[in-house]
């Protein structure tokens, strides 16, 4: 038993049940349909700080072997009829669904998120396989006469080629699925490099893909302690044509520069700093429900997490009171304990960062109405926290908190709110609560964001284009456009 004691919200570590699915025990490098079982890098359970297991540390030679495998499989896969590719993706969806409980437990073990969140993630991840199994055979071309009538324009969307996929730890299944499914649907082969903190989920998913009938070499998985070195080597390989990255803006900038040297197409899903806006006329209970979802899904470790709550003066005090009561009631504990409502942070460094942001805001005049200081480990816990009277200039207003902390700011006018909401380098998601829909649409046009939840605390959906503006990224994942990120238009100028 390693969880902190003394806090009534902390629950004891339960027996680890439900993790007996042998299909999900594959670990190692997955190259050309072979599992290469190697060890050396510990995978830590953030609920306890203990080591769960060890995984492989791929080197440059492994990266080359993975690109060789992807290149070898590419001609066969792009020539495979779309319908056949779709059927494999569909089987992958069904396998994810059948193994959902074990997969959710695995995610919870290595990531720390609650079982409820992990189950939600598995369902969300599986849906990308279903959605892109449907889209695989619907990629549209173009046919038109030139305006001058000189000739006919035909446009075909071809698979772009070998894609390197890099994913973060916060949604280890969903971020992998959101890239693999459209890439395979488009006819591309891939090398997936999951985050070091959550490699087991990626391996389990690859194993399910294998079971679904994905041919050897179409999906390869590399786990490594040297992501920069390995990725740079892959980007320097002329056979690689696509980089699809989800992670922090700082790493995204490095990768864009590296990809630029080799003129490789990039899709970038980067950081966020979402404003959650509540107008005076909002339905208070609905806004509180939405706030809890937007803030506390994944214990705040989400790129779309509400990072700043802007509340109009007339509803401010009632909102703070309601939010404080709800946050204070949440049970903190090991992610895989079914009673837990707020799991641990991913690493001790994550707890330290949250502590730094909260302490600095408090030093500059903010007050915590609940929470406000880290919980003692082992296990990496920060309690649900609400901050009021937060100065607009505080670091917490500018940086991604990535934790269960809700800073609340009061505003009077729409103009004041829009200025504050847009005062960030990010532009991924925003949320707006008002009963006045024309007002919501009017304000929506002024908010610099890729996605806006109107009277909703959750925007993600496999059928919608997910992505941001400004420093939050380039390109969109999901929806109809997501598959086009893995294609290149080829134009035929035809004189019949
Ligand atoms: P991170 O940028 O540290 O790591 C992301 C991935 O990049 C990991 O696989 C990591 O191993 C790899 N990486 C790290 N350094 C690298 C390098 N030099 N070269 C190549 N790869 C490298 O991000 P994280 O901490 O894993 O994830 C949290 C971040 O991801 C947050 O900023 C969050 O907002 C963002 N995120 C964005 C989205 C989105 O869709 N926009 C979704 C989830 C997470």
């Amino acid at each position: 038993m390693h969880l902190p004691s003394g806090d009534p919200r902390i629950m004891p570590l339960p027996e680890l049940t439900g993790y007996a699915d042998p299909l999900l025990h594959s670990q190692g490098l997955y190259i050309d349909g072979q599992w290469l079982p190697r060890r050396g890098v510990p995978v830590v359970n953030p609920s306890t700080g203990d080591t769960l297991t060890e995984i492989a540390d791929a080197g440059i030679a492994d990266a080359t072997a993975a690109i060789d495998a992807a290149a070898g499989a590419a001609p066969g896969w792009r020539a495979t009829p779309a319908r056949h590719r779709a059927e494999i993706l569909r089987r992958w969806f069904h396998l994810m669904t059948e193994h959902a409980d074990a997969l959710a437990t695995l995610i919870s073990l290595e990531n720390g998120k609650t079982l409820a969140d992990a189950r939600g993630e598995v369902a969300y991840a599986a849906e990308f396989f279903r959605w892109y199994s449907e889209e695989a055979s619907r990629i549209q071309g173009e046919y038109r006469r030139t305006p001058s009538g000189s000739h006919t324009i035909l446009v075909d969307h071809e698979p772009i080629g070998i894609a390197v996929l890099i994913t973060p730890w916060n949604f280890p299944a969903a971020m992998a699925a959101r890239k693999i499914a459209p890439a395979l649907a488009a006819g591309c082969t891939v090398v997936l490099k999951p985050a070091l903190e959550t490699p087991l989920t990626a391996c389990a998913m690859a194993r399910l893909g294998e079971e679904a009938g994905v041919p050897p070499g179409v999906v390869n998985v590399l786990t490594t302690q040297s992501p920069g070195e390995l990725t740079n080597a892959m980007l320097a390989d002329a056979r690689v044509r696509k980089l699809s990255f989800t992670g922090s803006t700082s790493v995204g900038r490095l990768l864009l520069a590296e990809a630029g040297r080799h003129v490789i197409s990039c899709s970038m899903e980067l950081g966020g700093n979402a404003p959650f806006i509540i107008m005076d006329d909002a339905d208070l209970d609905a806004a509180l429900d939405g706030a809890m979802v937007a803030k506390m899904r994944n214990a705040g470790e989400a790129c779309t997490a509400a990072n700043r709550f802007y509340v109009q003066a007339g509803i401010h005090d009632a909102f703070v009171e309601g939010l404080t009561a709800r946050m204070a009631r949440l049970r903190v504990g090991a992610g895989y304990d079914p009673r837990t409502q707020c799991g641990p942070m991913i690493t001790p460094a994550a707890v330290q960062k949250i502590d730094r942001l909260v302490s600095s805001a408090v030093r500059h005049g903010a007050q915590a109405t609940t929470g406000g200081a880290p919980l003692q480990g082992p296990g990496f816990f920060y309690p649900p926290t609400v901050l009021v009277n937060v100065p607009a200039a505080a670091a917490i207003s500018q940086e991604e908190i990535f934790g269960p902390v809700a800073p609340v700011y009061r505003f009077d006018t729409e103009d004041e709110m829009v200025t504050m909401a847009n005062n960030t380098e990010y532009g991924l998601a925003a949320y707006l609560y008002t009963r006045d829909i024309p007002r919501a649409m009017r304000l929506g046009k002024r908010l610099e964001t890729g996605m806006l939840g109107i009277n909703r605390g959750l925007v993600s959906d496999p059928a919608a284009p997910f992505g941001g503006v400004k420093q939050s990224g380039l390109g969109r994942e999901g929806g109809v456009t997501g598959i086009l990120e893995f294609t290149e238009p080829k134009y035929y100028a035809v004189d019949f």
Side-chain angles (χ1 to χ4, degrees), residues 167 169 178 193 231 245-248 269-271 303 400 466:
T167 50
W169 49 262
R178 203 164 76 177
K193 196 219 71 62
T231 306
F245 172 79
T246 298
S248 59
E269 295 289 349
L270 308 177
C303 52
E400 268 190 300
F466 187 106

Side-chain angles (χ1 to χ4, degrees), residues 153-423:
I153 295 170
L154 294 182
V155 182
D156 183 24
H157 292 276
E158 294 188 343
I160 195 167
I162 297 172
V164 171
L165 314 178
I166 302 182
T167 50
W169 49 262
N170 64 339
F171 287 95
M175 297 303 97
R178 203 164 76 177
K179 297 183 188 306
I180 294 172
L184 267 55
C188 298
T189 57
V190 306
V191 178
L192 170 69
K193 196 219 71 62
L196 196 60
E197 294 85 352
T198 53
L200 305 179
T201 305
C203 292
M205 284 179 58
R207 179 71 192 88
L208 293 177
E210 194 179 13
E211 198 68 13
V214 175
V218 170
V219 173
N220 305 275
V221 182
L222 298 175
T223 54
T224 181
Q225 283 196 104
S226 317
E229 205 184 321
L230 225 71
T231 306
N232 290 354
M234 290 194 280
L235 296 181
D237 189 315
R239 296 170 295 177
V240 171
R241 296 310 320 139
K242 179 78 193 182
L243 170 64
S244 177
F245 172 79
T246 298
S248 59
T249 296
S250 56
V251 173
R253 285 190 189 113
L254 289 177
L255 289 175
L256 276 169
E258 195 59 32
R261 293 179 51 206
H262 308 288
V263 195
I264 286 175
S265 161
C266 288
S267 298
M268 292 276 154
E269 295 289 349
L270 308 177
N273 182 5
F276 190 107
I277 300 150
I278 302 143
M279 308 303 290
D280 274 347
D281 69 345
D283 175 333
L284 178 63
D285 285 334
L288 285 166
D289 290 346
M292 292 303 288
V293 174
K295 180 71 254 179
M296 293 307 293
R297 190 167 66 115
N298 257 14
E301 293 178 315
C303 52
T304 50
N307 217 52
R308 299 166 290 153
F309 287 83
Y310 294 115
V311 191
Q312 206 164 12
I315 200 170
H316 176 274
D317 293 353
F319 178 79
V320 167
E321 191 185 325
L323 188 66
T324 302
R326 289 176 188 229
M327 292 285 270
R329 273 202 301 270
L330 292 179
R331 298 176 65 97
V332 180
Y336 42 79
D337 183 325
R339 295 166 299 174
T340 296
Q341 295 166 305
C342 177
M345 303 294 98
I346 189 74
T347 55
V351 176
Q352 283 157 17
K353 176 189 172 182
I354 299 165
D355 189 30
R356 169 176 64 78
L357 291 174
V358 171
S359 306
S360 155
V362 168
R363 267 199 314 280
H364 289 92
Q367 291 103 38
T369 58
T370 184
L375 302 171
Q376 288 306 305
F380 318 137
F381 292 93
Y382 200 95
T385 296
V386 178
L387 295 177
V388 292
N389 299 323
V390 184
I396 203 165
S397 318
Q398 293 300 321
E399 293 184 35
E400 268 190 300
I401 304 168
F402 243 59
V405 179
V408 183
Y409 311 78
R410 185 194 298 261
F411 72 90
D412 290 305
T413 66
E414 284 183 5
D415 285 349
E416 186 192 349
M417 176 277 287
V418 169
T419 303
M420 290 196 294
N422 288 340
N423 182 23

Side-chain angles (χ1 to χ4, degrees), residues 57-221:
D57 186 15
I60 303 276
D62 301 308
T64 307
I67 300 292
D68 287 347
W77 185 246
R78 71 190 280 155
T80 301
R83 177 76 76 213
H84 186 69
R85 292 199 299 260
E87 278 159 5
I88 292 174
L89 292 175
R90 187 72 169 205
R91 278 201 292 278
W92 204 339
F93 158 74
H94 284 301
L95 284 165
M96 295 263 309
T97 308
E98 278 164 33
H99 293 269
D101 280 349
L103 209 44
T105 307
L106 186 60
I107 292 173
S108 218
L109 278 171
E110 64 176 354
N111 167 283
K113 70 177 67 180
T114 64
L115 276 176
D117 279 342
R119 289 197 189 103
E121 180 181 351
V122 174
Y124 176 49
E127 282 300 336
F128 284 102
F129 290 106
R130 177 149 70 171
W131 173 258
Y132 283 110
S133 77
E134 291 159 347
E135 289 298 291
S137 53
R138 310 219 191 293
I139 301 175
Q140 301 214 338
E142 240 180 82
Y143 177 100
R144 72 174 77 220
R145 294 290 292 169
T146 61
S148 68
S150 60
H151 64 279
T152 299
I153 295 170
L154 294 182
V155 182
D156 183 24
H157 292 276
E158 294 188 343
I160 195 167
I162 297 172
V164 171
L165 314 178
I166 302 182
T167 50
W169 49 262
N170 64 339
F171 287 95
M175 297 303 97
R178 203 164 76 177
K179 297 183 188 306
I180 294 172
L184 267 55
C188 298
T189 57
V190 306
V191 178
L192 170 69
K193 196 219 71 62
L196 196 60
E197 294 85 352
T198 53
L200 305 179
T201 305
C203 292
M205 284 179 58
R207 179 71 192 88
L208 293 177
E210 194 179 13
E211 198 68 13
V214 175
V218 170
V219 173
N220 305 275
V221 182

